[in-house]
């Protein structure tokens, strides 16, 4: 990121910091919940016990020699970090490594009877089948009577604030408490977002890098459906994770579950679902699950094939906190650092839709930052009760 002052890389080795609480408290809580969600066998229980001890008190260990993705992880830093404390390596790397090790512990990668069983699926389905989801889908019946611009903006904000459904976030103390009504955005580049989409003349391609499944993925899909149905875009590409990741991150199976939820809901929701189902069948909507989507690295280090793909998009929307951290770099930036200056790694026009759940933040004006600090000290960074829409037009 030339011409941009650097900022400290986030680590988890400072007690009392948000990254430290994730490693020391959230990860053990996730192990406990996963253990209780399935009737795992003794081998899985032993492996989960070993992971709990290793991630809180031990050192990073190499993958088994026959691990299918060992080559990927060694190129992503495993050789460098083996033998070091989980708390002393970059926080982004350590978090990602935790989920890779958790899948290994429960037998997800097999071979064996637990191969391919998503350890987070019960939590995802419970949220997808909740009364809150029923209410949100029923509200679509009234949306169709509103002007087109109002519909589009409502669905954009639905996609933005759906990020508050992040299951991993709700395991933390701040995320577990009831949230107040959504405040105004701390940064709003929605006008520029619509301008970029309209610049495609109705034949452009939207890339959407999904974050969470369930009640966040549904409004993401609704936004895509609306843009396709209205002719604002000609094609959409939805990037999901190649395997379960960060508790609630969306996979292809989660997309299918969300589409079935829509088509089975009746009313306007079912119409949206049928349109998306058809769009997948005829190629107007395609899915991607690139290995780098689950890499412990920022987008500045994306491989060439993925870079070339994003460069073709009319606009790429990156959803959620993790993708934001990967986009701007997982560093403690001064909040007034211009977003466009730290998102230069991305090869084309990009928009970030994110609710704030970590210390990483850029692109605020000084008055907004001062007001947030005066009202909440630094809790506004991680509480999930503030959001932003930030846009960078394209390569410099």
């Amino acid at each position: 990121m030339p011409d941009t002052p650097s900022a400290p890389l986030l680590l988890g080795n400072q007690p009392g910091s948000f990254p430290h609480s994730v490693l020391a408290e959230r990860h053990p809580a996730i192990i406990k919940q996963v253990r209780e969600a399935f009737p795992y066998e003794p081998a899985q229980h032993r492996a989960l016990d070993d992971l709990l001890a290793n991630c809180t008190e031990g050192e990073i260990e190499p993958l088994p020699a026959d691990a299918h993705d060992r080559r990927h992880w060694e190129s992503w830093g495993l050789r460098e970090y083996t033998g070091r404390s989980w708390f002393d390596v970059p926080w982004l790397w350590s978090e990602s490594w935790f989920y890779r090790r958790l899948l290994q512990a429960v037998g997800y990668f097999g071979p064996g009877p637990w191969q391919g069983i998503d350890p987070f699926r019960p939590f995802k389905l419970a949220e997808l089948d909740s009364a809150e989801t029923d209410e949100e889908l029923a509200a679509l019946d009234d949306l169709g009577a509103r002007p087109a611009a109002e519909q589009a903006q409502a669905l954009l904000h639905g996609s933005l604030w759906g990020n508050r459904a992040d299951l991993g976030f709700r395991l933390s103390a701040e995320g577990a408490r009831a949230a107040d009504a959504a405040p105004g955005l701390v940064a709003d580049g929605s006008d520029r977002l619509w301008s970029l989409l309209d610049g495609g003349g109705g034949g452009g391609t939207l890339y959407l890098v999904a974050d969470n499944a369930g009640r966040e993925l549904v409004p993401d899909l609704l936004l895509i459906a609306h843009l396709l149905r209205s002719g604002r875009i000609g094609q959409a590409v939805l990037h999901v994770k190649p395997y379960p990741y960060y508790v609630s991150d969306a996979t292809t199976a989660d997309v299918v579950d969300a589409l079935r939820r829509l088509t089975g809901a009746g009313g306007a929701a079912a119409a949206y679902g049928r349109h998306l189902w058809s769009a997948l069948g005829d190629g107007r909507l395609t899915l991607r699950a690139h290995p780098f989507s689950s890499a412990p690295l920022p987008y500045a280090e994306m491989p060439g094939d993925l870079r070339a793909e994003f460069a073709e998009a009319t606009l790429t929307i990156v959803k959620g906190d993790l993708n934001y951290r990967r986009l701007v770099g997982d560093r403690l930036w001064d909040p007034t650092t211009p977003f466009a200056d730290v998102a230069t790694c991305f090869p084309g026009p990009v928009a970030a839709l994110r609710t704030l759940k970590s210390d990483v933040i850029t692109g605020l004006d000084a008055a907004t930052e001062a007001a947030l600090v005066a009202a909440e000290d630094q809790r506004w960074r991680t509480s999930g009760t503030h959001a932003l829409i930030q846009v960078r037009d394209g390569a410099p």
Side-chain angles (χ1 to χ4, degrees):
M1 298 174 184
D3 304 323
T4 301
S6 188
L9 192 67
L10 285 170
L11 305 176
N13 58 7
Q14 183 178 347
S17 69
F18 186 70
H20 186 276
S21 72
V22 169
L23 299 180
E25 300 169 18
R26 183 186 296 182
H27 287 175
I30 290 171
I31 291 174
K32 181 176 185 293
Q33 289 211 350
V34 166
R35 180 196 295 273
E36 294 174 351
F38 284 92
Y40 285 125
E41 299 172 43
Q44 276 96 351
H45 285 288
R46 287 192 296 270
L48 289 170
D49 288 340
D50 290 344
L51 176 58
L52 178 60
N54 183 244
C55 75
T56 54
E57 300 174 2
E59 298 174 341
I60 293 166
E61 302 171 349
L63 285 172
D66 60 350
H68 73 285
D69 55 352
R70 180 174 178 173
R71 178 179 58 84
H72 279 311
W73 277 95
E74 288 182 345
S75 70
W76 292 340
L78 180 56
R79 286 178 174 171
E80 177 185 355
Y81 298 142
T82 294
R84 295 174 62 177
S85 166
W86 291 58
F87 294 82
D88 292 335
V89 303
W91 181 42
L92 176 64
W93 200 97
S94 189
E95 277 197 291
S96 297
W97 181 240
F98 170 78
Y99 290 102
R100 171 58 182 84
R101 286 290 313 278
L102 181 62
L103 293 182
Q104 179 181 323
V106 299
Y108 179 85
F109 297 115
W114 293 93
Q115 184 174 10
I117 302 300
D118 183 348
F120 312 126
R121 183 169 172 78
F123 317 132
K124 295 174 178 178
L125 291 180
E127 181 187 271
L128 197 59
D129 294 337
S130 67
E132 290 84 358
T133 303
D134 289 334
E135 295 170 3
E136 290 161 1
L137 295 182
L140 294 171
D141 293 336
D142 297 327
L143 186 63
R146 300 184 186 181
E150 190 174 335
Q151 291 183 44
Q153 194 73 352
L155 290 170
L156 177 67
H157 279 256
S159 178
L160 169 66
W161 286 106
N163 183 237
R164 295 172 76 174
D166 179 344
L167 295 171
F169 173 74
R170 288 189 352 218
L171 292 176
S172 69
E174 286 185 319
R177 70 188 184 201
D180 297 328
L185 303 183
V186 298
D188 185 3
S190 55
D191 287 347
R192 187 57 190 149
L193 182 152
W194 294 124
S195 176
L196 287 168
L197 284 178
D198 292 340
T205 300
L206 170 72
Y207 280 61
L208 194 150
V209 182
D211 190 33
N212 297 311
R215 285 175 58 209
E216 179 179 355
L217 183 59
V218 166
D220 291 345
L221 290 169
L222 293 173
L223 176 62
I224 290 172
H226 174 79
L227 295 174
L228 288 170
R229 290 170 70 179
S230 66
R232 212 158 189 168
I233 59 172
Q235 186 176 12
V237 179
L238 179 64
H239 276 260
V240 295
K241 300 298 189 297
Y243 52 76
Y245 189 62
Y246 275 69
V247 182
S248 54
D249 281 30
T251 65
T252 298
D254 298 318
V255 174
V256 175
D257 285 338
L259 290 178
R260 286 178 173 153
R261 183 71 166 90
L262 285 170
T263 56
Y272 277 105
R274 289 192 296 268
H275 187 87
L276 289 163
W277 200 284
S278 175
L280 276 167
D282 62 28
R284 286 174 295 134
L285 171 60
T286 55
L287 302 180
R288 296 280 193 276
H290 196 284
F292 190 77
S293 294
S294 296
L297 302 172
Y299 284 123
E301 300 183 45
M302 77 177 82
D305 62 329
L306 190 59
R307 181 172 295 277
E309 186 175 341
F310 285 136
E312 297 175 353
T314 304
L315 175 68
T316 297
I317 293 176
V318 296
K319 283 295 307 296
D321 201 77
L322 174 61
N323 284 321
Y324 188 87
R325 291 163 58 193
R326 298 185 76 191
L327 178 62
V328 304
D330 202 30
R331 296 176 177 274
L332 192 60
W333 297 105
D334 182 313
T336 62
T337 304
F339 170 75
D341 289 355
V342 292
T344 54
C345 65
F346 214 81
V350 62
L353 269 62
R354 175 220 184 185
T355 50
L356 277 55
K357 302 176 185 175
S358 73
D359 292 308
V360 181
I361 182 69
T362 69
L364 299 190
D365 61 58
T368 298
E369 182 198 4
L372 290 167
V373 172
E376 305 176 36
D377 194 22
Q378 295 299 326
R379 293 187 300 276
W380 60 273
R381 293 175 178 262
T382 59
S383 66
T385 56
H386 299 281
L388 58 79
I389 300 173
Q390 293 175 327
V391 180
R392 180 178 172 273
D393 290 3

